Amino acid sequence: MTRTILTGDRPTGPLHLGHLVGSLRNRVALQHEYETFVLIADLQALTDHADDPGLIRESVIELVLDYLAVGIDPTAAAIVVQSQVPELSELTVYFLNLVTVARLQRNPTVKDEMRQKGFEADVPAGFFVYPVSQAADITAFGAHLVPVGADQLPMLEQTVEIVRRFNRLYGPVLVEPEALVPDVGRLPGTDGAAKMGKSLGNAIFLSDPPDVVARKVMSMFTDPGHLRASDPGRVEGNVVFTYLDAFDPDKTAVAILKEQYQAGGLGDVALKRRLMGVLESELTPIRTRRREAAKDPTHIREVLKEGTARGQARTAVTLGRVREAMGLYR
Ligand code: TRP
């Protein structure tokens, strides 16, 4: 039996290098091996952008372009629009009874995001419970594997708890999913912050043109103590080296550069120029494919329509089993 992958993104802006390292590479690598569904989570985007549905609608198209640009093959992977699949909302409602407010308050990713967005006590209820809706996404598709960045691990943990609770109460219907996180670790922002984020102003987007990438690389956080090229510099916490580790195919060359930098004699500008070259080889084919895909809006609409239909068919089967297991009146 083929196993299933489900993963997704909120359509609130373009994807960046953190997404590429965190999840997109794994999706592309596995899309022919697993039955793959990629969810455009517009309902989840609404939980913190209720005042801007226009941004979400436009970002749906941008997201599809990013997917096609990095090599997601829509004939293999179904690209699904969350709000067009009511089964996901229905399952969320059932799941909300299987989780406590106290448990939701302990979710570290939600806690971080609430602090970042300054929600405090004014957090929208929908935002607070989005891990439950994400659990519904994952289980409605019967996903075995969920390729995500490490920040999503708490969501997977919560999903497994909900699945176990459901299966214990109503019968063994739902699949326990597993997370697939990349072994390179999380890509920091250009400013050295632990996480690259659209809203943090420290992201390099897949759709950034070369001059923008160059400017962002030039302003990258390195070692504040490394003032002259001849000074010894620090490699740990130096964002340029973290990015070289993630993207430079020549690992030996990077190891030599690290030694030179630590000994003194290698300037930040020379190092940053190397990174620009490395990022350009990564991003040039992505930009080309994105430009090609953008020429055919009808195709984009077809991809979404067809992918969503495939997704809806799959979740309808799960929801049939869920209702039957719960023994709801019909
Ligand atoms: N929370 C994810 C993010 O912010 C997006 C997402 C929604 C998702 N539903 C999902 C990821 C299901 C994996 C599985 O990037």
Side-chain angles (χ1 to χ4, degrees), residues 86-286:
E87 282 79 358
L88 298 175
S89 301
E90 182 183 345
L91 191 56
T92 303
V93 171
Y94 301 147
F95 279 1
L96 280 168
N97 305 315
L98 307 181
V99 63
T100 65
V101 170
R103 175 64 182 89
L104 284 163
Q105 272 164 340
R106 282 199 304 273
N107 185 307
T109 300
V110 175
K111 265 202 226 170
D112 274 359
E113 289 173 329
M114 279 172 52
R115 210 174 307 120
Q116 232 178 60
K117 296 173 200 294
F119 276 151
E120 312 297 330
D122 288 331
V123 59
F127 183 85
F128 184 62
V129 302
Y130 92 73
V132 180
S133 130
Q134 191 156 331
D137 299 339
I138 293 166
T139 45
F141 285 92
H144 302 89
L145 198 65
V146 185
V148 279
D151 63 308
Q152 296 293 306
L153 286 174
M155 307 301 164
L156 266 293
E157 213 177 285
Q158 233 177 329
T159 302
V160 169
E161 286 174 28
I162 292 171
V163 165
R164 290 190 180 154
R165 183 106 203 274
F166 184 100
N167 287 347
R168 205 166 51 237
L169 278 173
Y170 305 122
V173 171
L174 303 176
V175 178
E176 258 186 50
E178 234 180 284
L180 176 67
V181 294
D183 37 348
V184 291
R186 182 188 288 185
L187 197 70
T190 52
D191 58 354
K195 188 176 171 177
M196 180 179 281
K198 291 183 266 227
S199 49
L200 302 174
N202 63 5
I204 295 178
F205 297 102
L206 301 178
S207 49
D208 276 347
D211 59 312
V212 174
V213 175
R215 182 167 46 75
K216 289 180 178 175
V217 170
M218 283 319 285
S219 71
M220 254 182 195
F221 181 85
T222 57
D223 169 6
H226 185 239
L227 298 176
R228 278 176 301 265
S230 53
D231 293 341
R234 280 167 49 95
V235 165
E236 306 80 49
N238 187 320
V239 178
V240 182
F241 278 112
T242 312
Y243 279 48
L244 286 173
D245 283 336
F247 296 105
D248 197 324
D250 191 346
K251 301 296 167 213
T252 323
V254 174
I256 295 170
L257 288 173
K258 284 182 183 171
E259 278 173 32
Q260 279 178 0
Y261 195 83
Q262 280 166 323
L266 176 60
D268 280 0
V269 173
L271 195 63
K272 286 175 171 176
R273 289 214 183 282
R274 180 180 181 99
L275 178 59
M276 278 179 208
V278 166
L279 291 183
E280 278 314 306
S281 2
E282 186 85 30
L283 291 174
T284 304
I286 293 178

